[in-house]
Amino acid sequence: MSKRKGKVISDVTAVKSRRVTALGAEDVPNDTNHQGPGSFTHSATGDIGLIESITLKNFMCHHFLSPFQFGPNVNFIVGNNGSGKSAILTALIVGLGGKATVTNRGVSLKDFVKTGESAADITVKLRNRGPDAYKRDVYGECISIEHRISSDGCRTCKLKSKSGQLISNKKEELTAILDHFNIQLDNPVSILNQEMSKQFLHSKSESDKYKFFMKATLLEQMKRDYIHIKHTKTVTRQQVERQEECLKDLKHEFLQRKERYENLSSFSEMKVVLENLKKAMAWSLVRDKEHLVQQLKEDTEKEENNYKHQDNLQLCQTKVIQVEKKLQCIKNRIESLTEEQESLSEDNLKLKEQVKIISKAHKEQELVYFRAVNKLKQSEQEQNLLLEKMNKAKTSVNLNSDGETEYTKQQNTLSSMREQLAELENKCLQLNQEIKSKHQALFKGKEERDKLRLEERNIQVSYESKLKRKNQLLASRSNKLKRFGDYVPDLLHSIAEAYATGRFVKKPVGPIGVCISLKDPTFAVAVECCLRSFMKAFCCDNYKDEAVLQELMSRYYPKGNRPQIIVSPFSEKLYNIHGRKACHPEYPSVLDVITATSPVIVNCLIDMRGIESILIIKEKDKARRVMQQGRPPKNCREAFTVEGDQVYPNRYYTSDFSMSKYFGGDLETEISMLESDLENHQAQLSRFQLHVTLVTEDIMSMESKLNSTIMTLKQTLASVNQVKAAITELETAGEDQIDDISSMEEVAQENQQKIETEKQTVHEAKEELDKHQKMAEDMDSKYSSVRERIDQLSEEMEPLKDEQMRLEAECARHERNLKILENKLKSHEDNIQAMKSDLAQREEELQEYVAKASKISPERQQVTGSTKSIDAEITRLKKKIKVYESSHGEQEQVVREYAEALALYREKTNQVRDLRRFIDRLDNIMSDRQNRYKIMRRSLSVRCKLYFNNFLIKMNCCGSMIFDHNNETLSITVYQITSY
């Protein structure tokens, strides 16, 4: 229950004096039609909780309202409409920490900031005098409450002393001050606004008046406090019952520790047995060492009496000597054959060189012979061709019937065909020019048609886009998710089902545009232009979830047209962007103007888009000046205007969007605009389709004429080719007509003489060729005989070399065996020496083990069991002791835990018993208090009924009563009521 200061209501009539001073009119700078406060003489009747003054700046529609000095009793503030009467009441409520909804003047605190200003300031001063002052040594005789409300709805509170020193900025401190001064912002008796006064004065319901009475006399709060106490008592009783259940567990634990404490004797016996086993283990190790030393002595003597390695070494040395003798004989025989082979090889090389020289001379002579034969054949062919030509020339020169030769007739025909060719070529040139002009016209027609089709296609795409947007808006009337796509609601339903079945590790978040909202709706286009495709993106915690989400999206979207998926580990904490955020005193960043349902969304946009470094500047010219004239703000890399234009330090991009697509406000306006655009697009499409049809018909006509001209050109070109072929044939035939027959006969005689000379040269070359061939055959026979002898020597040396290789391999094998046997003999000797060293070391270890065992047990123990069995028994006992210690603890620990458990059990038992007694006593007290509360409520009801309809409620309180009446001359009445 809040702290309250008051007196018990008695029958004594309290006489209260009030001092009423009318406020005089006073002009305030920067505010028209305002009547300010006059001067007052403070009364000593009220010491705490009185409102001394209030100051407003940029609050509601007022730039500045100078400090209003209130008197100690009744204050009247009068003025025309708009002079600031209701603003003072609203500022008192907000300045004392009240919510915006309590004032009935606004929904949010940002509604109280004057248009065009960034913040509003409210300063309220409360009197703090007398013995009941609140922390007078800290605040002094006056408490100053300063509130600053920013344009985004945030507010800060500063509590200062009379000297202006900052004492606190916590809301809890302000609440404590209001409770101490008994200032109740939600009590209609303390503050009665216009709406509440109308509702109360016009209400004739007795129940409403009774509710007002309960609220004004704090009886309703007292009733709520009693209910809260009852609920707390019930919860406390349940907790006591739970503590009693826990007490049973505590008693069980206490009994367990008591049992461990009583079992300490058996634990001591196990330790004694373990010590005896350790002594037996020590002498068992001595026994094992003695057996090991004895075994080493026997093995050393056995190795010293073994002579097998010496005998094997002598036998191997004898075999090596025999093999070396055989190998030497074979080597001598091979050397003699090798010398003979080397002498024959020298002769072979000389003969080989001679064969090469003779063969070369033979080939050269053969070449001379063939050249002479070819030259003779060529001369004979030329002679035959010349004779044939002479005969043809003699027969072709004949006169026709008109006395003209055949050659003259061919020349006349050739002249007429050349004239025909010139005419055809001129015709082809004209046709080419005509085809070229028609091609140009056809190209221009097709180009015009393509442009029209492109424009038609662009309008069609725009029409379909706007139609789709219209359908989305129509669907979003009932479901806003359809703004982000027709299948988004179904996709989100599938994601929820998949998450419920455990397919996702963490549920994906998205679309991002659904999860964010704007603090200022005017920034909608700028934020959408900044985020673009990220508005429809989804966020996943890991790649496993991303694969599942891709599979779900494939049901609704084709591949390549799916929303973007951003994979980043989810975090419940926002990134620390200190030092990376764009800072500007006037313009916010994108991060500042959005609010998200989850830190995951903000972190994702910081990673992918860098929204902390992007500013939003409303005006275009200011955006250019900030970003492009001089250095941009710190950490700012780009900015957006409210129209969506994108501004970089060195470039500027105009936005394609004219209105918000996802954060849009009025759906019906946008739908009507889209319907108008669709009608315009439909009319444009009809005009373009008609124009395209006409242009297509012209193109088809031009193509038909062009094809006809091309066919005519092809026929003309065929005629040109035929005429050219006939001319070429006549020209070729005419060249062979006339030759000088006499000159050809002289050439034929010269050729005949040349042929005779070449025949003689061929005969001489043939004889020389036969001589070289005989010399080459003789030299080949000598070279072959020498080569056969060399091959024979190689065949004789082959078995000798094989035998040599076999003996060398055998000799190497015996040498390897000899080295192995030598190493074995050395290893045998080293092994004997090592065994002796090991024996000495083992004997020393035996002495050490005996000494250690004597320390553990001076008398030698007769051990019957093996070392392994003793060790197993020791391990078993250690484990058993360890288990006992882990479950029971060490002896001192067991005793200590037993004592602690006993003390804790007794303490908890006493606490539960005391709580039971306290609850029973609280039941008696609450029953008595409720009876007193009913008596007091009945008494107050009777008294208030007598005075309620006459004037104000006469109640004993230390605070303020404020009434707001909607009248041109009388607006606010502030009663500073003090108790007597």
Side-chain angles (χ1 to χ4, degrees):
M1 183 173 176
S2 303
K3 290 172 59 179
R4 298 288 184 266
K5 185 174 183 296
K7 297 180 180 180
V8 178
I9 299 176
S10 63
D11 295 332
V12 180
T13 305
V15 180
K16 299 185 179 181
S17 63
R18 298 187 182 119
R19 180 180 178 184
V20 183
T21 305
L23 300 181
E26 183 176 315
D27 295 334
V28 179
N30 300 326
D31 193 8
T32 60
N33 297 327
H34 175 74
Q35 297 180 1
S39 60
F40 294 91
T41 302
H42 294 290
S43 173
T45 56
D47 292 331
I48 62 170
L50 297 184
I51 303 170
E52 291 187 346
S53 67
I54 181 169
T55 303
L56 312 180
K57 183 179 179 181
N58 295 330
F59 188 80
M60 294 178 70
C61 60
H62 304 283
H63 176 69
F64 183 78
L65 293 179
S66 63
F68 283 91
Q69 301 292 337
F70 292 104
N73 296 316
V74 180
N75 297 271
F76 294 94
I77 301 174
V78 296
N80 296 327
N81 285 343
S83 59
K85 302 184 298 297
S86 296
I88 294 173
L89 174 62
T90 305
L92 279 173
I93 298 173
V94 176
L96 293 176
K99 298 180 181 179
T101 53
V102 177
T103 64
N104 285 329
R105 289 287 181 173
V107 179
S108 175
L109 290 176
K110 64 183 179 181
D111 298 335
F112 299 135
V113 181
K114 185 179 179 182
T115 305
E117 300 295 337
S118 60
D121 295 320
I122 304 171
T123 303
V124 180
K125 291 186 179 180
L126 301 178
R127 185 177 298 179
N128 189 38
R129 301 176 187 175
D132 294 333
Y134 181 79
K135 296 181 182 179
R136 184 170 182 178
D137 55 340
V138 178
Y139 289 97
E141 295 182 352
C142 178
I143 298 176
S144 180
I145 304 170
E146 296 182 1
H147 266 82
R148 172 173 279 265
I149 304 171
S150 60
S151 58
D152 58 356
C154 299
R155 70 171 169 185
T156 57
C157 177
K158 294 181 181 179
L159 302 176
K160 295 184 178 180
S161 64
K162 182 178 181 181
S163 60
Q165 181 182 359
L166 178 64
I167 304 301
S168 176
N169 55 5
K170 295 182 178 179
K171 185 179 180 181
E172 291 79 5
E173 181 72 6
L174 177 59
T175 304
I177 292 172
L178 297 179
D179 286 342
H180 185 81
F181 292 160
N182 200 14
I183 297 175
Q184 303 163 25
L185 299 177
D186 57 347
N187 193 332
V189 173
S190 296
I191 298 176
L192 186 65
N193 55 42
Q194 293 180 13
E195 296 298 326
M196 183 63 74
S197 64
K198 290 178 183 178
Q199 181 180 357
F200 173 69
L201 294 174
H202 294 168
S203 175
K204 297 181 180 179
S205 174
E206 297 295 332
S207 61
D208 292 340
K209 292 181 179 180
Y210 186 75
K211 290 178 182 178
F212 185 83
F213 156 73
M214 291 290 289
K215 197 170 187 180
T217 56
L218 301 181
L219 291 174
E220 183 178 354
Q221 182 179 353
M222 192 180 297
K223 181 180 180 182
R224 288 197 301 267
D225 292 342
Y226 281 144
I227 294 171
H228 175 69
I229 291 172
K230 282 187 177 181
H231 176 70
T232 306
K233 183 192 70 174
T234 304
V235 174
T236 306
R237 188 181 294 276
Q238 292 174 355
Q239 290 180 351
V240 169
E241 292 175 355
R242 286 196 292 270
Q243 289 295 328
E244 288 178 347
E245 294 294 329
C246 295
L247 192 62
K248 294 179 181 178
D249 298 335
L250 193 62
K251 183 178 181 181
H252 179 68
E253 183 179 356
F254 161 70
L255 294 175
Q256 285 182 344
R257 293 186 178 180
K258 183 178 180 181
E259 183 181 357
R260 292 179 205 163
Y261 175 74
E262 294 172 352
N263 291 333
L264 286 175
S265 59
S266 61
F267 179 67
S268 302
E269 293 176 358
M270 283 192 290
K271 285 192 173 181
V272 172
V273 175
L274 180 62
E275 290 297 327
N276 294 332
L277 286 174
K278 287 181 178 178
K279 293 178 182 179
M281 183 67 182
W283 285 108
S284 175
L285 292 173
V286 171
R287 182 194 62 186
D288 294 342
K289 283 291 179 182
E290 288 175 349
H291 289 327
L292 181 60
V293 168
Q294 184 64 30
Q295 184 66 33
L296 282 174
K297 286 181 180 179
E298 294 175 359
D299 293 342
T300 303
E301 291 175 357
K302 184 177 180 181
E303 287 294 327
E304 286 178 347
N305 297 326
N306 187 4
Y307 300 103
K308 179 180 68 173
H309 298 288
Q310 289 87 338
D311 297 339
N312 292 334
L313 181 62
Q314 291 178 358
L315 179 62
C316 186
Q317 288 175 348
T318 304
K319 291 181 179 179
V320 169
I321 294 171
Q322 292 176 357
V323 172
E324 286 179 349
K325 288 181 179 179
K326 292 181 182 179
L327 182 61
Q328 189 62 37
C329 294
I330 296 294
K331 283 183 178 180
N332 293 334
R333 175 61 180 161
I334 290 174
E335 287 178 359
S336 61
L337 292 175
T338 303
E339 291 176 357
E340 182 180 0
Q341 189 179 24
E342 289 176 355
S343 62
L344 289 173
S345 296
E346 293 177 359
D347 295 339
N348 183 40
L349 290 174
K350 292 178 181 179
L351 290 173
K352 187 176 182 181
E353 291 296 327
Q354 292 177 1
V355 168
K356 285 182 179 180
I357 293 170
I358 293 171
S359 177
K360 184 177 180 182
H362 176 262
K363 289 181 179 179
E364 290 177 354
Q365 185 59 39
E366 190 178 24
L367 184 61
V368 170
Y369 170 71
F370 285 123
R371 282 178 181 173
V373 172
N374 290 334
K375 192 173 182 181
L376 176 61
K377 289 181 180 180
Q378 185 176 2
S379 298
E380 289 178 349
Q381 288 178 358
E382 290 177 357
Q383 182 68 13
N384 292 333
L385 289 172
L386 185 60
L387 293 175
E388 184 179 353
K389 192 174 182 180
M390 287 171 61
N391 294 331
K392 185 177 180 182
K394 288 178 181 180
T395 57
S396 63
V397 182
N398 295 318
L399 294 174
N400 58 7
S401 59
D402 296 331
E404 294 180 349
T405 62
E406 186 71 23
Y407 175 75
T408 305
K409 185 178 180 181
Q410 289 177 355
Q411 290 296 321
N412 294 331
T413 306
L414 186 63
S415 177
S416 63
M417 295 183 72
R418 283 174 178 168
E419 293 176 357
Q420 184 182 357
L421 177 63
E423 293 177 358
L424 292 174
E425 287 178 346
N426 289 331
K427 186 177 180 181
C428 287
L429 184 62
Q430 293 175 359
L431 291 173
N432 281 326
Q433 290 293 336
E434 186 178 352
I435 289 171
K436 185 177 180 181
S437 63
K438 290 182 178 181
H439 264 302
Q440 290 177 352
L442 181 62
F443 177 75
K444 289 181 180 178
K446 288 184 176 180
E447 188 176 19
E448 183 181 1
R449 183 186 62 183
D450 292 340
K451 287 182 180 178
L452 291 172
R453 286 180 175 175
L454 180 60
E455 292 180 3
E456 180 187 1
R457 188 159 53 250
N458 291 336
I459 295 173
Q460 183 68 31
V461 170
S462 177
Y463 177 81
E464 292 175 355
S465 175
K466 290 182 182 294
L467 182 61
K468 182 179 179 181
R469 177 62 179 165
K470 176 188 172 184
N471 293 332
Q472 286 182 352
L473 291 176
L474 292 174
S476 65
R477 285 176 173 173
S478 58
N479 191 345
K480 291 185 178 180
L481 291 175
K482 291 197 175 181
R483 287 192 178 189
F484 298 86
D486 296 335
Y487 300 109
V488 169
D490 297 334
L491 176 60
L492 292 179
H493 181 67
S494 300
I495 291 173
E497 290 182 349
Y499 180 71
T501 56
R503 296 184 63 187
F504 288 110
V505 179
K506 291 185 179 180
K507 186 178 180 180
V509 181
I512 290 178
V514 177
C515 302
I516 62 176
S517 59
L518 299 179
K519 297 178 182 178
D520 189 349
T522 59
F523 294 144
V525 176
V527 173
E528 287 187 16
C529 290
C530 174
L531 301 182
R532 290 187 178 270
S533 62
F534 291 115
M535 294 290 293
K536 300 171 71 175
F538 284 77
C539 300
C540 282
D541 176 70
N542 52 74
Y543 287 100
K544 180 183 176 183
D545 291 349
E546 189 258 351
V548 177
L549 184 56
Q550 286 281 11
E551 188 268 328
L552 294 177
M553 285 184 176
S554 64
R555 303 177 187 175
Y556 307 102
Y557 298 95
K559 190 173 183 182
N561 194 26
R562 298 174 187 171
Q564 184 178 355
I565 300 176
I566 301 168
V567 181
S568 179
F570 288 178
S571 174
E572 295 302 325
K573 291 180 64 179
L574 288 174
Y575 288 159
N576 182 10
I577 57 174
H578 181 70
R580 295 188 293 129
K581 184 180 178 183
C583 299
H584 196 278
E586 298 181 22
Y587 308 117
S589 65
V590 177
L591 179 60
D592 295 330
V593 302
I594 66 171
T595 56
T597 57
S598 171
V600 174
I601 299 297
V602 179
N603 292 341
C604 178
L605 292 177
I606 290 173
D607 287 336
M608 302 301 296
R609 190 63 183 93
I611 58 175
E612 79 282 1
S613 60
I614 302 174
L615 293 179
I616 296 181
I617 305 172
K618 290 186 177 182
E619 294 81 4
K620 295 181 180 179
D621 53 349
K622 290 184 179 180
R624 289 181 184 272
R625 184 170 64 253
V626 171
M627 295 298 294
Q628 297 179 350
Q629 295 180 7
R631 294 186 61 184
K634 184 180 179 182
N635 298 327
C636 178
R637 57 186 179 86
E638 60 180 298
F640 284 87
T641 66
V642 290
E643 290 85 0
D645 296 350
Q646 192 173 12
V647 188
Y648 287 97
N650 56 353
R651 56 193 186 278
Y652 188 98
Y653 298 104
T654 304
S655 173
D656 298 333
F657 300 123
S658 59
M659 63 175 59
S660 173
K661 185 176 180 181
Y662 302 107
F663 297 126
D666 191 357
L667 287 178
E668 301 302 328
T669 303
E670 188 173 356
I671 290 171
S672 62
M673 291 176 64
L674 287 172
E675 289 176 348
S676 177
D677 291 342
L678 288 173
E679 291 177 359
N680 293 334
H681 286 337
Q682 188 66 39
Q684 290 179 3
L685 282 175
S686 300
R687 290 197 300 272
F688 275 110
Q689 288 172 357
L690 179 60
H691 197 176
V692 167
T693 303
L694 295 175
V695 173
T696 304
E697 291 176 356
D698 293 340
I699 290 172
M700 292 175 64
S701 175
M702 287 188 287
E703 286 178 347
S704 175
K705 293 179 181 179
L706 179 62
N707 292 333
S708 175
T709 307
I710 291 171
M711 290 300 297
T712 305
L713 177 62
K714 288 181 178 180
Q715 294 172 2
T716 305
L717 289 174
S719 301
V720 169
N721 292 332
Q722 290 177 2
V723 172
K724 283 183 178 181
I727 291 171
T728 303
E729 185 178 357
L730 289 174
E731 287 177 349
T732 303
E735 290 177 356
D736 298 333
Q737 291 290 325
I738 302 173
D739 285 321
D740 191 0
I741 298 174
S742 59
S743 62
M744 286 191 291
E745 289 178 351
E746 291 176 0
V747 173
Q749 291 178 1
E750 292 177 359
N751 287 343
Q752 188 63 36
Q753 292 176 1
K754 185 179 179 181
I755 289 170
E756 293 297 332
T757 305
E758 288 176 353
K759 285 182 178 179
Q760 183 64 30
T761 304
V762 169
H763 180 69
E764 293 174 356
K766 177 65 176 173
E767 292 178 352
E768 189 68 23
L769 181 61
D770 293 338
K771 291 179 182 180
H772 283 84
Q773 186 173 1
K774 186 176 181 182
M775 291 174 62
E777 290 176 355
D778 294 340
M779 189 58 65
D780 285 338
S781 63
K782 291 181 181 180
Y783 177 71
S784 298
S785 61
V786 172
R787 189 67 200 166
E788 288 176 359
R789 178 58 184 163
I790 291 173
D791 292 340
Q792 186 178 1
L793 290 174
S794 298
E795 290 176 358
E796 292 178 359
M797 289 173 63
E798 193 68 30
L800 293 175
K801 287 182 178 180
D802 293 340
E803 184 66 19
Q804 180 186 0
M805 290 176 66
R806 188 185 65 78
L807 291 174
E808 287 177 350
E810 186 177 357
C811 182
R813 180 167 55 80
H814 288 308
E815 287 178 353
R816 286 196 299 272
N817 292 337
L818 182 63
K819 289 182 180 180
I820 292 170
L821 292 173
E822 288 175 352
N823 292 332
K824 285 184 178 180
L825 178 61
K826 185 178 179 182
S827 299
H828 177 65
E829 294 173 353
D830 293 341
N831 189 27
I832 293 173
Q833 189 65 30
M835 291 177 72
K836 290 181 178 179
S837 301
D838 190 20
L839 178 60
Q841 184 178 358
R842 296 294 181 181
E843 289 176 347
E844 291 177 0
E845 290 179 358
L846 176 60
Q847 296 300 325
E848 291 177 359
Y849 271 74
V850 171
K852 290 179 180 179
S854 299
K855 288 181 181 180
I856 296 172
S857 176
E859 295 183 2
R860 180 155 185 160
Q861 301 285 333
Q862 297 298 327
V863 184
T864 56
S866 63
T867 304
K868 188 174 181 181
S869 63
I870 295 172
D871 184 58
E873 184 64 20
I874 290 173
T875 304
R876 186 185 66 79
L877 270 178
K878 283 182 177 180
K879 287 182 179 179
K880 188 174 181 181
I881 292 170
K882 187 175 180 181
V883 170
Y884 185 88
E885 288 178 346
S886 63
S887 59
H888 295 77
E890 296 180 356
Q891 186 172 358
E892 295 178 358
Q893 183 180 358
V894 169
V895 175
R896 185 176 66 253
E897 288 179 352
Y898 170 67
E900 291 175 354
L902 178 60
L904 182 61
Y905 176 66
R906 288 176 178 174
E907 180 184 356
K908 294 296 181 183
T909 305
N910 293 333
Q911 287 179 357
V912 172
R913 185 180 65 252
D914 293 340
L915 281 173
R916 279 287 185 187
R917 291 175 180 174
F918 172 75
I919 291 172
D920 295 338
R921 186 179 178 187
L922 184 62
D923 282 339
N924 297 329
I925 292 172
M926 287 303 299
S927 298
D928 181 62
R929 289 246 178 161
Q930 280 187 328
N931 293 329
R932 291 173 181 267
Y933 165 74
K934 291 177 181 178
I935 295 171
M936 183 178 67
R937 184 181 62 186
R938 190 179 302 112
S939 175
L940 284 176
S941 300
V942 172
R943 291 187 180 191
C944 289
K945 189 175 181 180
L946 297 175
Y947 303 108
F948 191 87
N949 294 326
N950 297 327
F951 195 59
L952 301 173
I953 301 172
K954 295 183 179 182
M955 59 178 295
N956 195 3
C957 62
C958 295
S960 302
M961 292 190 296
I962 304 173
F963 299 89
D964 189 0
H965 304 281
N966 189 10
N967 190 282
E968 292 186 357
T969 58
L970 179 61
S971 179
I972 300 179
T973 308
V974 182
Y975 292 88
Q976 306 281 21
I977 302 174
T978 58
S979 60
Y980 295 87

